[in-house]
Amino acid sequence: MISVQNLSVEFNCTPLFDGANFVINKKDKIALVGKNGAGKSTMLKIIAGLQSPSSGTVAVPADTVIGYLPQQMVLADSTTVRDEVKKAFDNITRLKAEIDAVNNEIASRTDYESESYAKLIEHVTTLNEHLVMMGSENCDAEMEKTLVGLGFNRSDFDRPTSEFSGGWRMRIELAKLLLRRPDVLLLDEPTNHLDIESIQWLEKFLKTKANAVMLVSHDRAFIDNITNRTIEISCGKIYDYNVNYSKFMELRKERIEQQTRAYLNQQKQIQDTEEFIERFRYKATKSVQVQSRIKQLAKIERIEIDEVDNSHINLKFPPAPRSGDYPVIADGVGKKYGDHTVFSNVTFTIKRGEKVAFVGKNGEGKSTLVKCIMGEIPFDGTLKIGHNVKIGYFAQNQAQLLDGEITVFDTIDRVAVGDIRTKIRDLLGAFMFGGEASDKKVKVLSGGEKTRLAMIKLLLEPVNLLILDEPTNHLDMRTKDILKDAIRDFNGTVIVVSHDREFLDGLVSKVYEFGGGHVKEHLGGIYDFLETKKIESLRQLELSTPNASSSTAKTESVAKSQTPNPAEEKTTGGRRNYFEQKEREREIKRREKRVATCEAEINDIEMQIKEIESTLADGGTGLPADIYERHSELNKKLDNAMSLWEIACSELEAIKQDQD
């Protein structure tokens, strides 16, 4: 489908990769891997036609549609979510307009026997067939399924896009991209702004509905579940394996070991041959053998071992100054935006030296509570920061706040104070910004390199409370492991907001679950928490997480909350539970009615299809001219109705589980 031939890219006379050759075939699911700065994002941009290589070509057939999702994008805020996503169907809208125009021309013509009239009829028939193939009758259902799958509620569809955060607006762009159904999808870190439920939905979509896919992701489980081929960019070379990432790592290790053994054997053979030549070079009786060995030596094709990239970050947080015994104490903390309650009555205590995780669906308040702790936004209740607590904060958008017009060195030089100013080069070298890399402008850095640079700024001042909000976004797998080790060795207190189960495993000793407007405390590590929830993964947790409107009566606050007054519980709690139960019952009836309506529509359409198929089976003359077109349209309507029925059944099942 797409052929990459002898592709080379240089920056400031330094080759990023050289002589890259590979082909993207239909239905390929390719993981593009390599360390930060290896050229993964650059490769995607070149294939998408957004950047030119130094040499080489990318051959794309004329009718091939490429969809590209960058790590960062400029988003428009002038319309609603529904109208913005409908732009994905602009090609269908244009096709319908063309059909209308041709039909109007046909209606105005009277030269029914002319060749031009026949061509118009043929043209409009072709256009209608193309429209049916594009599934125009199924657009609304597909849009709804995609938005719900990516975490939107139906109430969000008519909200202005300007009301959503950057992460949610990225989901809108992802929805548009998926709905266009391009021949090749190029995705650069698509999971960075998704919660775990949405990641699961995206995995299923890419596996079952997408055509060819090439993606960059540092989520090992995500790429393993989707891809069947791995292309690595390492030290300027391309390595192509027809296996997923985990198998690729095994095969690559075996390949290096085999090359090493073959190399050592060949070196011994060369050494023995050279010794024979040197020993008998001047003996006339051995001249024939010597000349033979010289020719043999010249013909040997020297084995080279693939260069292994051993560079890595030397990451270690400075020793933490001693703080009070309880760095963070929350008592009845709540946050509202207008009538919307993000969370309420949050009560917990974090002890000195503890490492805790904030987990839950996007929008449940994890980052909001972090901002409350930082004092960036007002809140209700009491939030005490302990004695001598010095906070180091890494926000989700930390890398985006860097000044792109200055160099890596200047970025650190402007914030460094004291003796560290004499060691900036050493510090940058420890983070793989040594040599000429320190003179690069920030705007040319990859997402992972910007994250590393932002992490350096965090290290410049000793802190005893680290608050890290999605710190692994854009980091490659090896760097994530190094960061995890550094946090584990840190002797201060740590709060980590993350959806990465592998990163949290073995790192935290306490988990705070956000959901339904409340925060619940779970002692133990991430897998202890999962075992407590009787689930196998965080994804299943988030699939069962109740929303704010349906779980207030069921979700307790943190375990340390005070026991409610029995009299008050009797007079107010009982009444609240009664009315909420009634509301849930009414909601279940509404959902059941919607399912029944969908089923009735499906039965009606199936009856119409059956009647047409019976007519076709009888054969004979006098069949309506449009019978095949009607049959095709009814099948499209049936697909649409089935999609709506699936959504209605899922919602009904979810609210029934919530009631249980």
Side-chain angles (χ1 to χ4, degrees), residues 586-617:
R586 285 193 291 269
E587 186 63 26
I588 288 175
K589 289 181 180 178
R590 285 194 290 268
R591 303 289 184 183
E592 289 175 339
K593 185 177 180 181
R594 184 174 182 182
V595 170
T597 301
C598 291
E599 290 174 346
E601 183 179 359
I602 289 170
N603 289 333
D604 180 58
I605 295 172
E606 287 178 337
M607 289 296 296
Q608 294 181 55
I609 292 175
K610 187 175 181 180
E611 289 176 3
I612 290 178
E613 290 176 345
S614 297
T615 303
L616 291 171

mmCIF file of all heavy atoms in Angstrom, residues 586-617:
data_model
loop_
_atom_site.group_PDB
_atom_site.id
_atom_site.type_symbol
_atom_site.label_atom_id
_atom_site.label_comp_id
_atom_site.label_asym_id
_atom_site.label_seq_id
_atom_site.Cartn_x
_atom_site.Cartn_y
_atom_site.Cartn_z
ATOM 1 N N ARG A 586 -37.081 4.472 37.778
ATOM 2 C CA ARG A 586 -37.647 5.196 36.629
ATOM 3 C C ARG A 586 -36.661 5.198 35.460
ATOM 4 O O ARG A 586 -37.057 5.040 34.297
ATOM 5 C CB ARG A 586 -38.020 6.624 37.025
ATOM 6 C CG ARG A 586 -39.289 6.718 37.856
ATOM 7 C CD ARG A 586 -39.763 8.156 37.949
ATOM 8 N NE ARG A 586 -38.858 8.972 38.748
ATOM 9 C CZ ARG A 586 -38.975 9.155 40.054
ATOM 10 N NH1 ARG A 586 -39.971 8.570 40.722
ATOM 11 N NH2 ARG A 586 -38.124 9.921 40.713
ATOM 12 N N GLU A 587 -35.375 5.375 35.787
ATOM 13 C CA GLU A 587 -34.362 5.393 34.738
ATOM 14 C C GLU A 587 -34.257 4.032 34.057
ATOM 15 O O GLU A 587 -34.099 3.941 32.836
ATOM 16 C CB GLU A 587 -33.003 5.795 35.321
ATOM 17 C CG GLU A 587 -31.899 5.977 34.292
ATOM 18 C CD GLU A 587 -32.171 7.086 33.318
ATOM 19 O OE1 GLU A 587 -32.924 8.028 33.667
ATOM 20 O OE2 GLU A 587 -31.651 7.020 32.200
ATOM 21 N N ILE A 588 -34.355 2.954 34.843
ATOM 22 C CA ILE A 588 -34.318 1.607 34.261
ATOM 23 C C ILE A 588 -35.492 1.404 33.313
ATOM 24 O O ILE A 588 -35.344 0.843 32.220
ATOM 25 C CB ILE A 588 -34.325 0.541 35.375
ATOM 26 C CG1 ILE A 588 -32.967 0.522 36.093
ATOM 27 C CG2 ILE A 588 -34.630 -0.843 34.805
ATOM 28 C CD1 ILE A 588 -32.925 -0.402 37.284
ATOM 29 N N LYS A 589 -36.689 1.886 33.716
ATOM 30 C CA LYS A 589 -37.856 1.755 32.840
ATOM 31 C C LYS A 589 -37.664 2.521 31.537
ATOM 32 O O LYS A 589 -38.048 2.050 30.459
ATOM 33 C CB LYS A 589 -39.111 2.249 33.575
ATOM 34 C CG LYS A 589 -39.568 1.313 34.689
ATOM 35 C CD LYS A 589 -40.831 1.832 35.365
ATOM 36 C CE LYS A 589 -41.275 0.879 36.477
ATOM 37 N NZ LYS A 589 -42.486 1.386 37.176
ATOM 38 N N ARG A 590 -37.061 3.714 31.632
ATOM 39 C CA ARG A 590 -36.809 4.491 30.412
ATOM 40 C C ARG A 590 -35.839 3.744 29.493
ATOM 41 O O ARG A 590 -36.028 3.699 28.273
ATOM 42 C CB ARG A 590 -36.249 5.870 30.770
ATOM 43 C CG ARG A 590 -37.292 6.837 31.308
ATOM 44 C CD ARG A 590 -36.767 8.263 31.311
ATOM 45 N NE ARG A 590 -35.729 8.455 32.319
ATOM 46 C CZ ARG A 590 -35.966 8.879 33.555
ATOM 47 N NH1 ARG A 590 -37.211 9.138 33.936
ATOM 48 N NH2 ARG A 590 -34.974 9.041 34.411
ATOM 49 N N ARG A 591 -34.791 3.161 30.100
ATOM 50 C CA ARG A 591 -33.812 2.420 29.295
ATOM 51 C C ARG A 591 -34.450 1.172 28.671
ATOM 52 O O ARG A 591 -34.168 0.836 27.519
ATOM 53 C CB ARG A 591 -32.630 1.994 30.172
ATOM 54 C CG ARG A 591 -31.916 3.136 30.876
ATOM 55 C CD ARG A 591 -31.132 3.991 29.927
ATOM 56 N NE ARG A 591 -30.384 5.007 30.653
ATOM 57 C CZ ARG A 591 -29.641 5.941 30.086
ATOM 58 N NH1 ARG A 591 -29.562 5.978 28.769
ATOM 59 N NH2 ARG A 591 -28.988 6.835 30.799
ATOM 60 N N GLU A 592 -35.308 0.479 29.446
ATOM 61 C CA GLU A 592 -35.970 -0.715 28.913
ATOM 62 C C GLU A 592 -36.903 -0.359 27.762
ATOM 63 O O GLU A 592 -37.000 -1.102 26.771
ATOM 64 C CB GLU A 592 -36.749 -1.414 30.030
ATOM 65 C CG GLU A 592 -35.857 -2.102 31.056
ATOM 66 C CD GLU A 592 -36.641 -2.682 32.217
ATOM 67 O OE1 GLU A 592 -37.791 -2.222 32.452
ATOM 68 O OE2 GLU A 592 -36.112 -3.587 32.906
ATOM 69 N N LYS A 593 -37.564 0.805 27.874
ATOM 70 C CA LYS A 593 -38.447 1.247 26.797
ATOM 71 C C LYS A 593 -37.655 1.534 25.532
ATOM 72 O O LYS A 593 -38.079 1.211 24.420
ATOM 73 C CB LYS A 593 -39.215 2.496 27.237
ATOM 74 C CG LYS A 593 -40.246 2.971 26.220
ATOM 75 C CD LYS A 593 -41.029 4.160 26.744
ATOM 76 C CE LYS A 593 -42.056 4.622 25.712
ATOM 77 N NZ LYS A 593 -42.826 5.802 26.204
ATOM 78 N N ARG A 594 -36.487 2.122 25.711
ATOM 79 C CA ARG A 594 -35.655 2.425 24.551
ATOM 80 C C ARG A 594 -35.179 1.141 23.876
ATOM 81 O O ARG A 594 -35.146 1.042 22.643
ATOM 82 C CB ARG A 594 -34.447 3.259 24.977
ATOM 83 C CG ARG A 594 -33.586 3.700 23.798
ATOM 84 C CD ARG A 594 -32.508 4.632 24.230
ATOM 85 N NE ARG A 594 -31.714 5.075 23.094
ATOM 86 C CZ ARG A 594 -30.668 5.878 23.170
ATOM 87 N NH1 ARG A 594 -30.291 6.336 24.331
ATOM 88 N NH2 ARG A 594 -30.008 6.227 22.092
ATOM 89 N N VAL A 595 -34.800 0.132 24.683
ATOM 90 C CA VAL A 595 -34.395 -1.158 24.119
ATOM 91 C C VAL A 595 -35.546 -1.779 23.342
ATOM 92 O O VAL A 595 -35.365 -2.292 22.229
ATOM 93 C CB VAL A 595 -33.917 -2.110 25.238
ATOM 94 C CG1 VAL A 595 -33.725 -3.522 24.699
ATOM 95 C CG2 VAL A 595 -32.614 -1.606 25.848
ATOM 96 N N ALA A 596 -36.751 -1.721 23.932
ATOM 97 C CA ALA A 596 -37.921 -2.298 23.262
ATOM 98 C C ALA A 596 -38.216 -1.585 21.943
ATOM 99 O O ALA A 596 -38.570 -2.226 20.942
ATOM 100 C CB ALA A 596 -39.132 -2.225 24.196
ATOM 101 N N THR A 597 -38.082 -0.262 21.932
ATOM 102 C CA THR A 597 -38.304 0.501 20.698
ATOM 103 C C THR A 597 -37.310 0.091 19.619
ATOM 104 O O THR A 597 -37.678 -0.093 18.451
ATOM 105 C CB THR A 597 -38.165 2.012 20.976
ATOM 106 O OG1 THR A 597 -39.124 2.392 21.976
ATOM 107 C CG2 THR A 597 -38.399 2.822 19.718
ATOM 108 N N CYS A 598 -36.051 -0.063 20.013
ATOM 109 C CA CYS A 598 -35.024 -0.490 19.057
ATOM 110 C C CYS A 598 -35.328 -1.886 18.512
ATOM 111 O O CYS A 598 -35.182 -2.140 17.313
ATOM 112 C CB CYS A 598 -33.643 -0.476 19.723
ATOM 113 S SG CYS A 598 -33.011 1.174 20.098
ATOM 114 N N GLU A 599 -35.784 -2.788 19.409
ATOM 115 C CA GLU A 599 -36.092 -4.152 18.978
ATOM 116 C C GLU A 599 -37.271 -4.168 18.009
ATOM 117 O O GLU A 599 -37.277 -4.930 17.030
ATOM 118 C CB GLU A 599 -36.375 -5.031 20.191
ATOM 119 C CG GLU A 599 -35.133 -5.319 21.032
ATOM 120 C CD GLU A 599 -35.440 -6.068 22.311
ATOM 121 O OE1 GLU A 599 -36.630 -6.132 22.688
ATOM 122 O OE2 GLU A 599 -34.498 -6.594 22.945
ATOM 123 N N ALA A 600 -38.271 -3.311 18.270
ATOM 124 C CA ALA A 600 -39.429 -3.239 17.371
ATOM 125 C C ALA A 600 -39.008 -2.747 15.988
ATOM 126 O O ALA A 600 -39.472 -3.263 14.953
ATOM 127 C CB ALA A 600 -40.490 -2.312 17.966
ATOM 128 N N GLU A 601 -38.133 -1.745 15.974
ATOM 129 C CA GLU A 601 -37.659 -1.225 14.692
ATOM 130 C C GLU A 601 -36.862 -2.289 13.936
ATOM 131 O O GLU A 601 -37.006 -2.446 12.712
ATOM 132 C CB GLU A 601 -36.791 0.012 14.914
ATOM 133 C CG GLU A 601 -36.322 0.658 13.612
ATOM 134 C CD GLU A 601 -35.471 1.896 13.840
ATOM 135 O OE1 GLU A 601 -35.257 2.258 15.023
ATOM 136 O OE2 GLU A 601 -35.030 2.491 12.854
ATOM 137 N N ILE A 602 -36.034 -3.049 14.666
ATOM 138 C CA ILE A 602 -35.246 -4.123 14.035
ATOM 139 C C ILE A 602 -36.177 -5.176 13.431
ATOM 140 O O ILE A 602 -35.982 -5.623 12.289
ATOM 141 C CB ILE A 602 -34.305 -4.763 15.071
ATOM 142 C CG1 ILE A 602 -33.176 -3.785 15.430
ATOM 143 C CG2 ILE A 602 -33.709 -6.064 14.536
ATOM 144 C CD1 ILE A 602 -32.333 -4.232 16.605
ATOM 145 N N ASN A 603 -37.223 -5.555 14.172
ATOM 146 C CA ASN A 603 -38.166 -6.554 13.661
ATOM 147 C C ASN A 603 -38.857 -6.061 12.398
ATOM 148 O O ASN A 603 -39.061 -6.818 11.433
ATOM 149 C CB ASN A 603 -39.211 -6.888 14.736
ATOM 150 C CG ASN A 603 -38.619 -7.687 15.883
ATOM 151 O OD1 ASN A 603 -37.633 -8.405 15.712
ATOM 152 N ND2 ASN A 603 -39.204 -7.560 17.064
ATOM 153 N N ASP A 604 -39.246 -4.777 12.391
ATOM 154 C CA ASP A 604 -39.920 -4.199 11.234
ATOM 155 C C ASP A 604 -39.013 -4.226 9.997
ATOM 156 O O ASP A 604 -39.438 -4.604 8.900
ATOM 157 C CB ASP A 604 -40.345 -2.761 11.549
ATOM 158 C CG ASP A 604 -41.064 -2.113 10.370
ATOM 159 O OD1 ASP A 604 -42.095 -2.657 9.926
ATOM 160 O OD2 ASP A 604 -40.574 -1.062 9.893
ATOM 161 N N ILE A 605 -37.758 -3.806 10.186
ATOM 162 C CA ILE A 605 -36.813 -3.785 9.058
ATOM 163 C C ILE A 605 -36.548 -5.205 8.559
ATOM 164 O O ILE A 605 -36.483 -5.459 7.350
ATOM 165 C CB ILE A 605 -35.493 -3.109 9.475
ATOM 166 C CG1 ILE A 605 -35.736 -1.633 9.814
ATOM 167 C CG2 ILE A 605 -34.455 -3.200 8.356
ATOM 168 C CD1 ILE A 605 -34.530 -0.937 10.416
ATOM 169 N N GLU A 606 -36.384 -6.152 9.489
ATOM 170 C CA GLU A 606 -36.129 -7.543 9.091
ATOM 171 C C GLU A 606 -37.303 -8.111 8.290
ATOM 172 O O GLU A 606 -37.106 -8.888 7.344
ATOM 173 C CB GLU A 606 -35.866 -8.396 10.328
ATOM 174 C CG GLU A 606 -34.496 -8.136 10.961
ATOM 175 C CD GLU A 606 -34.263 -8.958 12.207
ATOM 176 O OE1 GLU A 606 -35.264 -9.387 12.835
ATOM 177 O OE2 GLU A 606 -33.085 -9.169 12.569
ATOM 178 N N MET A 607 -38.557 -7.727 8.652
ATOM 179 C CA MET A 607 -39.729 -8.177 7.895
ATOM 180 C C MET A 607 -39.698 -7.630 6.471
ATOM 181 O O MET A 607 -39.991 -8.352 5.500
ATOM 182 C CB MET A 607 -41.005 -7.743 8.609
ATOM 183 C CG MET A 607 -41.292 -8.507 9.901
ATOM 184 S SD MET A 607 -41.584 -10.280 9.607
ATOM 185 C CE MET A 607 -43.083 -10.200 8.627
ATOM 186 N N GLN A 608 -39.327 -6.338 6.334
ATOM 187 C CA GLN A 608 -39.246 -5.745 4.996
ATOM 188 C C GLN A 608 -38.179 -6.445 4.158
ATOM 189 O O GLN A 608 -38.375 -6.698 2.960
ATOM 190 C CB GLN A 608 -38.936 -4.252 5.107
ATOM 191 C CG GLN A 608 -40.041 -3.432 5.764
ATOM 192 C CD GLN A 608 -39.675 -1.958 5.821
ATOM 193 O OE1 GLN A 608 -39.365 -1.348 4.806
ATOM 194 N NE2 GLN A 608 -39.700 -1.388 7.018
ATOM 195 N N ILE A 609 -37.018 -6.723 4.778
ATOM 196 C CA ILE A 609 -35.947 -7.419 4.057
ATOM 197 C C ILE A 609 -36.405 -8.810 3.634
ATOM 198 O O ILE A 609 -36.146 -9.266 2.508
ATOM 199 C CB ILE A 609 -34.683 -7.516 4.943
ATOM 200 C CG1 ILE A 609 -34.084 -6.115 5.155
ATOM 201 C CG2 ILE A 609 -33.643 -8.445 4.308
ATOM 202 C CD1 ILE A 609 -32.912 -6.098 6.119
ATOM 203 N N LYS A 610 -37.143 -9.487 4.533
ATOM 204 C CA LYS A 610 -37.624 -10.839 4.236
ATOM 205 C C LYS A 610 -38.588 -10.823 3.056
ATOM 206 O O LYS A 610 -38.547 -11.712 2.180
ATOM 207 C CB LYS A 610 -38.301 -11.420 5.476
ATOM 208 C CG LYS A 610 -38.690 -12.884 5.331
ATOM 209 C CD LYS A 610 -39.255 -13.418 6.642
ATOM 210 C CE LYS A 610 -39.629 -14.895 6.496
ATOM 211 N NZ LYS A 610 -40.184 -15.443 7.763
ATOM 212 N N GLU A 611 -39.460 -9.803 3.001
ATOM 213 C CA GLU A 611 -40.414 -9.699 1.897
ATOM 214 C C GLU A 611 -39.692 -9.505 0.568
ATOM 215 O O GLU A 611 -40.040 -10.129 -0.444
ATOM 216 C CB GLU A 611 -41.375 -8.533 2.152
ATOM 217 C CG GLU A 611 -42.357 -8.785 3.279
ATOM 218 C CD GLU A 611 -43.219 -7.563 3.564
ATOM 219 O OE1 GLU A 611 -43.072 -6.554 2.832
ATOM 220 O OE2 GLU A 611 -44.025 -7.609 4.507
ATOM 221 N N ILE A 612 -38.674 -8.622 0.564
ATOM 222 C CA ILE A 612 -37.918 -8.384 -0.673
ATOM 223 C C ILE A 612 -37.193 -9.647 -1.100
ATOM 224 O O ILE A 612 -37.173 -10.010 -2.285
ATOM 225 C CB ILE A 612 -36.923 -7.224 -0.477
ATOM 226 C CG1 ILE A 612 -37.680 -5.893 -0.359
ATOM 227 C CG2 ILE A 612 -35.933 -7.146 -1.635
ATOM 228 C CD1 ILE A 612 -36.782 -4.704 -0.111
ATOM 229 N N GLU A 613 -36.572 -10.349 -0.136
ATOM 230 C CA GLU A 613 -35.835 -11.564 -0.470
ATOM 231 C C GLU A 613 -36.765 -12.656 -0.983
ATOM 232 O O GLU A 613 -36.387 -13.456 -1.849
ATOM 233 C CB GLU A 613 -35.049 -12.045 0.749
ATOM 234 C CG GLU A 613 -33.878 -11.117 1.088
ATOM 235 C CD GLU A 613 -33.140 -11.523 2.349
ATOM 236 O OE1 GLU A 613 -33.691 -12.346 3.114
ATOM 237 O OE2 GLU A 613 -32.022 -11.000 2.580
ATOM 238 N N SER A 614 -38.012 -12.701 -0.465
ATOM 239 C CA SER A 614 -38.995 -13.670 -0.978
ATOM 240 C C SER A 614 -39.358 -13.345 -2.417
ATOM 241 O O SER A 614 -39.491 -14.235 -3.265
ATOM 242 C CB SER A 614 -40.252 -13.649 -0.104
ATOM 243 O OG SER A 614 -39.959 -14.059 1.211
ATOM 244 N N THR A 615 -39.518 -12.040 -2.697
ATOM 245 C CA THR A 615 -39.820 -11.604 -4.064
ATOM 246 C C THR A 615 -38.693 -11.986 -5.014
ATOM 247 O O THR A 615 -38.923 -12.475 -6.127
ATOM 248 C CB THR A 615 -40.038 -10.079 -4.100
ATOM 249 O OG1 THR A 615 -41.085 -9.727 -3.190
ATOM 250 C CG2 THR A 615 -40.401 -9.614 -5.500
ATOM 251 N N LEU A 616 -37.464 -11.758 -4.583
ATOM 252 C CA LEU A 616 -36.311 -12.095 -5.414
ATOM 253 C C LEU A 616 -36.208 -13.600 -5.618
ATOM 254 O O LEU A 616 -35.822 -14.073 -6.697
ATOM 255 C CB LEU A 616 -35.026 -11.561 -4.770
ATOM 256 C CG LEU A 616 -34.870 -10.035 -4.751
ATOM 257 C CD1 LEU A 616 -33.666 -9.636 -3.900
ATOM 258 C CD2 LEU A 616 -34.689 -9.501 -6.172
ATOM 259 N N ALA A 617 -36.548 -14.352 -4.590
ATOM 260 C CA ALA A 617 -36.459 -15.812 -4.689
ATOM 261 C C ALA A 617 -37.485 -16.370 -5.665
ATOM 262 O O ALA A 617 -37.237 -17.362 -6.363
ATOM 263 C CB ALA A 617 -36.654 -16.448 -3.313
#
